[in-house]
Amino acid sequence: MLIDQYENEHFPIDLPDPIAAIKFRMEQKGYDQNDLAKIIGFKSLASEILNRKRKLSFEMIRQLHTSLNIPTEVLIQAY
């Protein structure tokens, strides 16, 4: 417990970037952009999100949390 406390105090680990977390989880599950489009709606929308041209809406965050099991605290961060 002392080591954990020391590491948390001196070497905090930030939450991952939301888009990086989505890409990582997609890679883990073997998903591609078409699979992401099925989760959030349209293929063009999935492309814009992955290319950081569009922000995630609350509904998208809910869908990604449910489908890909990404924590909401990661997805709601600014990017």
Side-chain angles (χ1 to χ4, degrees):
M1 288 178 43
L2 286 173
I3 294 171
D4 188 46
Q5 181 182 1
Y6 177 84
E7 286 179 347
N8 289 335
E9 198 173 297
H10 293 92
F11 303 103
I13 298 174
D14 293 331
L15 293 174
D17 175 73
I19 303 305
I22 293 169
K23 289 179 179 179
F24 178 73
R25 189 56 57 108
M26 286 173 60
E27 183 180 316
Q28 283 183 323
K29 291 185 170 273
Y31 285 4
D32 60 12
Q33 189 170 321
N34 292 326
D35 297 313
L36 182 61
K38 291 175 188 172
I39 295 170
I40 60 172
F42 301 101
K43 188 173 182 180
S44 61
L45 190 59
S47 175
E48 289 175 356
I49 288 170
L50 292 176
N51 290 316
R52 300 173 187 271
K53 293 181 180 178
R54 181 181 293 256
K55 300 287 183 186
L56 293 168
S57 70
F58 285 121
E59 186 58 33
M60 288 181 216
I61 290 170
R62 286 185 194 106
Q63 292 167 341
L64 290 167
H65 171 70
T66 302
S67 300
L68 298 179
N69 200 24
I70 300 172
T72 54
E73 48 281 345
V74 171
L75 295 171
I76 62 172
Q77 296 180 97
Y79 60 92

